[in-house]
Amino acid sequence: MPATTPQKESLASNVIWPCDIWTITARDGTVARYASHTRDLVYSGNTYKATPNEPSTSVIQIGLEADTSEMIGVYDDIITNEDRRAGKWGRAAIVKEIIIDYRNPALGTTRKQKGYVGKIEGIGAYSFKLEFRSLIDLLRQKIGDLTSNSDRITTLEALIGPTAAAAFTHATTVFSVTDRRKFQINYVQPSATYFVNGQVTWTSGANDGLSMEIKNAAVVSGKTELELHLPMPSTIVAGDGVSVVRGYLGTRVDAKAISAEAILNSQGEWDIPSLGFTLRYPE
């Protein structure tokens, strides 16, 4: 969009007052807006919270290299440390703009960039650093799959669809807790590896709405003990409501145990000889 005459006049003056604004949209639709300024700014009907953004290098590339920059902010009621650790803001969409004159936001913005969160990491207990990567970075990603004797589909929902996966989703409660990573539930899994590689989602308690992948599952004293890949952000308490989805091991045997549809949808080349077989030679 070409610059207007007032914008050109402001940019051509001896002193200018630009300000970066960031609009960050998580995958669940939550929107966070920040301004690299000492006070909140209102632009186009939206309030951008002032954040103590430290100067960082913005890299503008030519070709298929991604443009990058960083924003350092303080946790608030939108971006919290718990949500960051739970992965809520990973791969969130970002629109980064420069307000031409923060004293007069009506002049509009320039150099609008669209991208996503490359990574977001905590800095101490109260702040975070967020990396912006432009959309061209997506063009550098590998397209296509390698053959594998294990299914490239890793989740039950992706294998058979959310409707069919609902039959393998079990609502229950937490029975006892070892720590934020290991606990027992009141549902007994029907086989030894039923919940391995599955997912648990909290329906109540301090972790309500958050999910985590299951690393191991075993029946202990008539209860199913789950071990997560990562600890939950908040304390798990007996009585918390959870929804647990069956896991998928990526093997033909496991796919067959799920359904005929799982066999048809699988993307594993189970009959390809292993490397050890291809390297055999006659004695």
Side-chain angles (χ1 to χ4, degrees):
M1 182 176 178
T4 63
T5 299
Q7 288 177 336
K8 291 179 180 178
E9 291 175 350
S10 177
L11 292 172
S13 61
N14 292 331
V15 180
I16 60 175
W17 292 267
C19 174
D20 288 348
I21 57 173
W22 302 62
T23 303
I24 308 165
T25 306
R27 286 171 291 179
D28 66 355
T30 305
V31 179
R33 295 183 174 91
Y34 297 102
S36 303
H37 198 44
T38 57
R39 65 175 186 271
D40 294 351
L41 293 179
V42 177
Y43 172 68
S44 191
N46 296 311
T47 299
Y48 292 80
K49 288 186 177 182
T51 181
N53 193 18
E54 297 181 5
S56 63
T57 303
S58 294
V59 180
I60 308 299
Q61 301 280 9
I62 297 176
L64 293 181
E65 293 295 327
D67 297 343
T68 61
S69 58
E70 292 179 346
M71 185 194 83
I72 295 177
V74 175
Y75 295 122
D76 55 20
D77 57 347
I78 300 177
I79 296 184
T80 65
N81 190 21
E82 290 76 14
D83 285 346
R84 178 196 66 80
R85 292 169 59 189
K88 175 176 179 177
W89 295 97
R91 307 286 291 185
I94 299 178
V95 177
K96 179 186 175 186
E97 302 172 81
I98 300 178
I99 289 182
I100 292 176
D101 187 343
Y102 61 75
R103 304 172 307 165
N104 183 17
L107 281 177
T109 62
T110 183
R111 214 186 85 186
K112 183 175 183 179
Q113 292 180 290
K114 293 184 178 180
Y116 65 96
V117 175
K119 61 181 178 180
I120 178 170
E121 55 189 11
I123 304 176
Y126 304 105
S127 58
F128 62 89
K129 180 168 67 174
L130 179 148
E131 179 195 33
F132 167 88
R133 299 190 69 84
S134 61
L135 291 178
I136 201 170
D137 187 57
L138 300 176
L139 298 178
R140 302 177 62 247
Q141 297 185 15
K142 179 182 72 69
I143 298 176
D145 295 311
L146 300 174
T147 58
S148 171
N149 58 7
S150 179
D151 198 346
R152 289 184 293 278
I153 296 177
T154 59
T155 65
L156 190 68
E157 185 172 300
L159 183 67
I160 59 177
T163 301
F168 300 93
T169 302
H170 309 278
T172 184
T173 56
V174 174
F175 173 72
S176 63
V177 181
T178 302
D179 52 37
R180 288 188 292 118
R181 189 179 178 187
K182 183 180 290 187
F183 56 95
Q184 290 185 342
I185 59 174
N186 286 305
Y187 177 84
V188 180
Q189 61 179 2
S191 63
T193 60
Y194 187 81
F195 284 131
V196 176
N197 290 351
Q199 180 174 274
V200 58
T201 300
W202 265 257
T203 57
S204 68
N207 294 296
D208 188 18
L210 301 181
S211 301
M212 186 61 68
E213 291 73 24
I214 300 169
K215 181 179 181 180
N216 289 310
V219 176
V220 179
S221 301
K223 307 292 181 180
T224 302
E225 184 174 79
L226 302 180
E227 180 184 3
L228 307 180
H229 275 280
L230 295 172
M232 294 304 297
S234 299
T235 301
I236 303 170
V237 178
D240 283 355
V242 290
S243 177
V244 193
V245 182
R246 184 198 199 282
Y248 176 47
L249 301 179
T251 64
R252 177 186 277 125
V253 172
D254 207 32
K256 185 177 180 180
I258 294 170
S259 66
E261 182 186 9
I263 289 286
L264 293 174
N265 294 343
S266 62
Q267 296 182 15
E269 290 73 34
W270 293 313
D271 296 316
I272 290 181
S274 65
L275 181 60
F277 180 86
T278 58
L279 294 178
R280 289 173 60 187
Y281 57 91
E283 296 181 359

